[in-house]
Amino acid sequence: MKKKYIFLIIIVLLSIGVYFLFFHKDKSLKYIPDNADIVVLVDVKKAKRQYISSYIAHPSKWFVEKNGAKNKISVTDSGLEIPDFLQIFHLNNTKISEWYTVLEINDKEKLSAFLKDRKFINDGKGTFKNNQFFVKINGEKCIVGTSDLNFSNIGKPFSEKFRNNVLNADSFMDDGLGSISFISELRTQNFSIDLQDDKIEIKNKQNSTNFGSLISDLYKKTQFLDAELDSENIKKIGSVFKENLTDSTSVNHLKMSANLTQVNDTIVSYEYDDNFNEIEKISYQKIVQPDFEIVLQTFNPEKAWTYFQNKKWINAKNQFTAIPFQPNLISVNKNHISIKSTRKSVKINETKNQNYIFIKNNPLLLSSFKTLNNQFFKNVEYIFYGNKNQDYTVKIKFKKEKLPLILR
């Protein structure tokens, strides 16, 4: 009888331990600043559960050592306190590439060893940097960012009250592995982040739109880029780049298609012979050039053309200089403005009367941008954005492999 009680007590204690280790969460959000406009949360304990279940289901992973990481100090031994909800934020009026998080320091010696192990360099002012991240030590806390430009501009944390509700994870998250929230004076828009075997999906709550057939159709096309947007979507995407094209140009519809090709670029240089005569020297290099066409529909093309001219986006050769891909030609035809590459034409796909942006991965894209030439982007198959009524979806599809994303 006593053995049964002992066994029962052990089971209860183990259950309590598992609960606190993997399920009990501190939902308080201490370090989101009052000047944040985008907040990304990651449910760390849910990520652990998903990792363990995937690990158990894939025995091939059990005996595989992580290449190059065998002797590296892990984040769990870095001397940092990883909260139950990792809080990553973007600051208002900063570059879209700048993201930050604030973490508590448990052990400064361990943190110092971790930074040294990960090849962070001390600038002598309490800031450390490597090729990817910047770390600012501030007392018992540290700020980690993709840039060091706005460490000093991170505002004070929100008070315990956030719009008459206690600021915790429930204000931003539902049941996903994470969330991304857009904060404005009027409202906060929350989108869940789900990590599946070979894709990451971001969508708003109660999203019932299935974009599967549209994605399948777009994937069959050869284009690297295909997009179609109405005025509302143009306005939202334009706001990211601080341009309000719908109001300034009366553009109410956009269609775009693009391919990538590799071409020979001529380089002309000059040398001098022994008699100081100038000698022309011609060499060639291969560059990646997009072939594209953008069609802007507007009920007031004169207004749009004047706006582009005032912005100095149209030069004397009628080239649209706001995009870096030259040469191109901009022209007006009734209620349409067309911008197309002059080297080779691209056929615009039929209008689908849907709002979407579809980008198919292309090796030429990776070779052109060093920031994209890493294993993460090499494994991406396509990126899709879709909107219908109040439903928004972003899907990042990865190439199929033996292991799910969380184990790669």
Side-chain angles (χ1 to χ4, degrees), residues 65-101:
E65 291 183 353
K66 295 178 181 178
N67 295 330
K70 186 177 179 181
N71 298 316
K72 283 189 175 294
I73 300 174
S74 67
V75 176
T76 53
D77 294 324
S78 64
L80 296 172
E81 177 71 27
I82 307 300
D84 292 339
F85 288 90
L86 189 62
Q87 304 151 48
I88 304 165
F89 52 86
H90 177 268
L91 300 178
N92 190 29
N93 296 322
T94 62
K95 295 179 181 178
I96 195 64
S97 59
E98 295 179 19
W99 295 85
Y100 305 91
T101 186

Side-chain angles (χ1 to χ4, degrees), residues 347-384:
K347 184 179 178 181
I348 288 277
N349 289 328
E350 70 278 3
T351 299
K352 298 181 180 296
N353 294 317
Q354 297 195 62
N355 290 295
Y356 65 87
I357 300 172
F358 185 84
I359 303 173
K360 186 190 291 187
N361 203 347
N362 189 309
L364 293 177
L365 179 69
L366 301 177
S367 65
S368 302
F369 297 94
K370 292 182 179 180
T371 54
L372 301 181
N373 195 10
N374 57 55
Q375 200 57 44
F376 177 87
F377 287 105
K378 285 180 181 177
N379 287 334
V380 171
E381 203 164 280
Y382 65 76
I383 299 174
F384 170 82

Side-chain angles (χ1 to χ4, degrees), residues 110-303:
K110 283 187 176 182
L111 177 58
S112 177
F114 173 79
L115 293 175
K116 184 178 180 181
D117 181 65
R118 296 304 173 106
K119 295 181 169 44
F120 279 83
I121 299 172
N122 190 348
D123 68 353
K125 301 177 182 179
T127 301
F128 301 79
K129 65 178 180 179
N130 65 7
N131 292 330
Q132 295 175 299
F133 297 104
F134 295 81
V135 175
K136 174 75 172 179
I137 307 297
N138 187 7
E140 300 302 315
K141 304 179 187 67
C142 80
I143 307 170
V144 182
T146 58
S147 167
D148 62 345
L149 296 177
N150 286 283
F151 279 153
S152 59
N153 295 331
I154 295 175
K156 294 180 180 179
F158 278 115
S159 61
E160 292 183 1
K161 295 286 184 179
F162 178 70
R163 296 177 189 171
N164 299 320
N165 292 309
V166 175
L167 182 61
N168 61 28
D170 291 334
S171 302
F172 302 98
M173 286 194 64
D174 293 317
D175 297 323
L177 185 69
S179 69
I180 179 167
S181 301
F182 296 85
I183 302 172
S184 68
E185 292 295 328
L186 298 176
R187 60 174 177 167
T188 297
Q189 292 180 287
N190 298 328
F191 298 82
S192 66
I193 302 174
D194 289 305
L195 178 64
Q196 302 174 24
D197 283 353
D198 59 357
K199 62 186 173 186
I200 298 172
E201 195 166 71
I202 304 170
K203 59 172 62 176
N204 57 314
K205 190 177 181 180
Q206 298 174 338
N207 187 325
S208 59
T209 302
N210 187 346
F211 291 103
S213 60
L214 174 61
I215 293 173
S216 178
D217 184 43
L218 292 169
Y219 188 75
K220 293 174 186 175
K221 308 290 184 184
T222 58
Q223 276 87 348
F224 146 71
L225 170 65
D226 199 354
E228 183 177 340
L229 301 171
D230 64 11
S231 59
E232 190 64 27
N233 279 272
I234 295 170
K235 187 173 185 177
K236 288 176 179 176
I237 293 172
S239 65
V240 176
F241 302 98
K242 311 302 181 186
E243 292 291 341
N244 191 344
L245 293 179
T246 53
D247 292 343
S248 302
T249 64
S250 302
V251 171
N252 52 35
H253 190 265
L254 176 148
K255 280 280 297 170
M256 179 177 181
S257 288
N259 285 326
L260 293 176
T261 54
Q262 194 172 63
V263 298
N264 288 321
D265 184 40
T266 304
I267 303 173
V268 179
S269 58
Y270 296 91
E271 294 180 349
Y272 295 90
D273 60 17
D274 295 338
N275 297 319
F276 297 100
N277 296 313
E278 189 177 70
I279 302 173
E280 184 180 86
K281 185 177 180 182
I282 298 176
S283 58
Y284 302 92
Q285 67 174 357
K286 290 187 177 297
I287 63 171
V288 175
Q289 192 82 357
D291 302 319
F292 64 91
E293 182 171 6
I294 304 168
V295 176
L296 305 173
Q297 180 178 300
T298 171
F299 55 82
N300 192 341
E302 293 81 10
K303 179 180 179 182

Side-chain angles (χ1 to χ4, degrees), residues 79-82 104-108 140:
L80 296 172
E81 177 71 27
I82 307 300
E104 295 180 2
I105 302 172
N106 283 339
D107 190 318
K108 289 190 175 182
E140 300 302 315

